[in-house]
Amino acid sequence: MGGLYSEYLNSNKVLEHYNYTKETLDTQETPSRQVASAFIIVLCCAIVIENLLVLIAVARNSKFHSAMYLFLGNLAASDLLAGMAFVANTLLSGPVTLHLTPLQWFAREGSAFITLSASVFSLLAIAIERHVAIAKVKLYGSDKSCRMLLLIGASWLISLVLGGLPILGWNCLGHLEACSTVLPLYAKHYVLCVVTIFSVILLAIVALYIRIYCVVRSSHADLAGPQTLALLKTVTIVLGVFIACWLPAFSVLLLDYACPVRSCPVLYKAHYFFAFATLNSLLNPVIYTWRSRDLRREVLRPLQCWRRGAGGPGQRDGTPGHRLLPLRSSSSLERGTHMPTSPTFLEGNTVV
């Protein structure tokens, strides 16, 4: 066991692998790289703040404690951690990379793979939940919260295992000819395996949504109503944005597997494709709040409280004349989920 992991703390191993796979090495910070790094860090901070607000909104309002919102909250959690992982990745990239030990390098890259895995499994859980809701299958009983939490926990456990395989031994240390060009300490077969798994899951999700649309279109009026279609449109947008943002990065990783070392110059620009993929974690909260006025109101509540506090004591008690009424079909995310009614402001009964 000691021999297997003896090279994990060797600070020369990363340099050795990068020398083998890269034509040139980043040995100094340039102004353009510094500007790009600063922009990515600002972007990732926005990702963290956006998804944190979504998580707070889902956690503190019982109106959002349905299966659909819990799974969306899980996706927001994975996006939040992805933003944090991208910040760490950015700060530890460039010239800093060459001074990392393999253990540190595996932790840097593994965190990104874990959050990506969690996002894919969250999308799968959302698709399954929508199929269950449309098909009216009673999958969740009285212990539905426990079952949903177990499903979410299992998705994170699988993600941890999948992202942690390289640090457990599936890497190319000591086998330079088997190394990836984009990720020089990862074995090409591992990269191909991960991308294949993600692609199969995404294709299964697409097939599941096609089946859902077919069921809705061919069913009676109450099932094929505008409310159900609006919710399907929301989750389909989330899926489409994920595929659009990550497809270039997946394509580069597949090209990486097929290309011999130093034979595909585009692989040296892979960081641009991964930077584009980070937009997915930024756009998801925008989609949730754009499609759900209730969630948008809850997400923006901290800002509104701050504005009321800044406006003086006379505005802190709320606006006179607001009455609490039961919630009824208030948003495209809310409609189509089986949830108990809860009080909201009269002005909250809006339709997207």
Side-chain angles (χ1 to χ4, degrees):
M1 182 66 68
L4 179 62
Y5 300 111
S6 60
E7 297 181 327
Y8 277 33
L9 300 178
N10 186 344
S11 58
N12 295 320
K13 274 296 175 181
V14 173
L15 179 60
E16 176 186 348
H17 281 249
Y18 273 72
N19 272 327
Y20 180 81
T21 58
K22 308 290 186 182
E23 290 182 347
T24 58
L25 298 180
D26 294 325
T27 58
Q28 61 180 359
E29 285 283 0
T30 62
S32 60
R33 173 177 286 276
Q34 291 175 344
V35 170
S37 298
F39 175 77
I40 293 176
I41 290 175
V42 171
L43 181 68
C44 291
C45 290
I47 290 173
V48 171
I49 294 173
E50 279 186 348
N51 286 283
L52 182 60
L53 289 173
V54 171
L55 283 175
I56 293 174
V58 172
R60 72 182 180 183
N61 195 325
S62 60
K63 177 162 59 71
F64 301 133
H65 291 178
S66 67
M68 182 66 187
Y69 277 106
L70 288 179
F71 289 133
L72 283 177
N74 186 52
L75 181 58
S78 65
D79 285 333
L80 184 150
L81 293 177
M84 298 173 63
F86 293 146
V87 169
N89 199 300
T90 301
L91 294 176
L92 296 175
S93 294
V96 181
T97 300
L98 305 180
H99 301 286
L100 299 177
T101 64
L103 182 62
Q104 293 169 330
W105 191 94
F106 287 138
R108 185 190 77 176
E109 300 299 337
S111 61
F113 270 72
I114 289 170
T115 56
L116 172 59
S117 301
S119 295
V120 173
F121 286 115
S122 295
L123 291 172
L124 178 61
I126 291 172
I128 293 174
E129 192 277 336
R130 283 296 83 209
H131 183 267
V132 168
I134 295 299
K136 298 186 182 297
V137 178
K138 193 174 180 58
L139 179 63
Y140 305 114
S142 58
D143 59 342
K144 63 179 182 179
S145 296
C146 180
R147 294 189 181 185
M148 286 187 294
L149 292 177
L150 285 176
L151 179 58
I152 291 173
S155 68
W156 279 99
L157 179 60
I158 296 173
S159 300
L160 285 170
V161 172
L162 195 60
L165 284 175
I167 204 171
L168 295 176
W170 194 358
N171 54 62
C172 63
L173 289 177
H175 304 281
L176 290 174
E177 69 283 353
C179 289
S180 161
T181 299
V182 176
L183 302 163
L185 272 67
Y186 279 176
K188 282 189 173 185
H189 287 91
Y190 167 74
V191 175
L192 176 65
C193 176
V194 171
V195 174
T196 301
I197 291 174
F198 291 164
S199 300
V200 170
I201 292 176
L202 291 174
L203 288 175
I205 295 173
V206 171
L208 200 55
Y209 278 126
I210 292 175
R211 171 174 168 77
I212 291 173
Y213 273 105
C214 291
V215 170
V216 169
R217 290 297 186 184
S218 62
S219 63
H220 45 83
D222 61 333
L223 184 60
Q227 298 176 351
T228 301
L229 292 177
L231 179 57
L232 283 177
K233 183 178 180 180
T234 298
V235 293
T236 303
I237 291 173
V238 172
L239 176 63
V241 169
F242 180 91
I243 294 176
C245 290
W246 278 99
L247 183 60
F250 286 175
S251 301
V252 167
L253 292 176
L254 290 176
L255 181 64
D256 184 18
Y257 176 80
C259 285
V261 64
R262 299 190 179 185
S263 62
C264 296
V266 68
L267 298 179
Y268 302 129
K269 304 297 182 182
H271 55 280
Y272 291 113
F273 297 94
F274 289 107
F276 179 75
T278 63
L279 292 176
N280 174 244
S281 298
L282 181 72
L283 293 176
N284 278 341
V286 176
I287 297 172
Y288 311 151
T289 55
W290 166 49
R291 298 290 299 171
S292 171
R293 293 187 180 180
D294 287 329
L295 184 58
R296 180 166 64 247
R297 181 182 298 107
E298 191 70 24
V299 167
L300 296 178
R301 179 178 291 183
L303 178 60
Q304 294 172 346
C305 292
W306 177 81
R307 291 178 60 186
R308 289 172 184 170
Q315 298 183 12
R316 294 180 185 178
D317 297 329
T319 303
H322 282 178
R323 295 183 292 113
L324 291 177
L325 294 177
L327 174 70
R328 182 186 66 180
S329 300
S330 57
S331 67
S332 62
L333 277 179
E334 191 73 21
R335 299 189 298 265
T337 58
H338 306 293
M339 301 173 57
T341 59
S342 59
T344 186
F345 286 114
L346 175 63
E347 297 152 354
N349 296 330
T350 56
V351 178
V352 176

